[in-house]
Amino acid sequence: MADSLDPRVRVAIEQACTQLTIEYARSIDFRDYDNIVNLFTEDAVLVIGQRLEGRDEIVTAIKQRPGELRSRHVISNGFVDVTSERSARGICYLTLYRHEGSESLQRGPVDLKSPAAIGHYEDAFVRTPEGWRIKHRVLHLAFRDPAQLP
């Protein structure tokens, strides 16, 4: 089925799913937490150290991030495999920079020694009546700085 897709449809699906991964990172880093609801299906699962099920649980957990936390989720090496007109799966690498402390509330750069973590997200995407959404997202860490991410 996926092999028979029009190449333009395939590219549009790949772009929509890639945009979801970028929008997730932007929303987290710039505290646009209400936008995160729009990126997931109602019954989505997000595994980021803990398993969160459903939009409400995902957003509630993310809104509990400390106020003095500055982060940048750098997304790269994105790959989307279109499996049908209604589903796709993907992977993208994550380099996470973070600092927690009052310096995070000030303008300008914060001193940083190294990334807090490096890993990848494994995603399942589905097309809904509202557009493409994340159905399942799992974070797999390859490296972490225990001083920043216990």
Side-chain angles (χ1 to χ4, degrees), residues 1-69:
M1 170 81 173
D3 292 337
S4 65
L5 284 178
D6 180 308
R8 293 171 293 188
V9 171
R10 179 181 300 283
V11 168
I13 293 170
E14 290 169 353
Q15 289 176 338
C17 294
T18 298
Q19 186 62 32
L20 285 170
T21 66
I22 294 167
E23 188 65 15
Y24 174 86
R26 188 207 61 78
S27 296
I28 293 282
D29 291 340
F30 292 96
R31 301 181 181 283
D32 189 1
Y33 301 144
D34 292 332
N35 184 55
I36 289 173
V37 158
N38 301 318
L39 306 178
F40 290 91
T41 62
E42 274 299 324
D43 61 346
V45 173
L46 175 62
V47 182
I48 50 172
Q50 61 180 323
R51 182 181 177 91
L52 305 170
E53 297 187 27
R55 282 181 175 170
D56 292 340
E57 196 169 302
I58 291 168
V59 171
T60 298
I62 289 173
K63 284 183 176 181
Q64 293 175 8
R65 294 177 78 223
E68 292 185 339
L69 174 63

Side-chain angles (χ1 to χ4, degrees), residues 2 7 9 17 41 44 60 98 101 103 110-111 120 133:
V9 171
C17 294
T41 62
T60 298
R98 60 180 276 146
E103 304 86 1
V110 174
D111 291 344
H120 71 276
R133 298 293 184 262

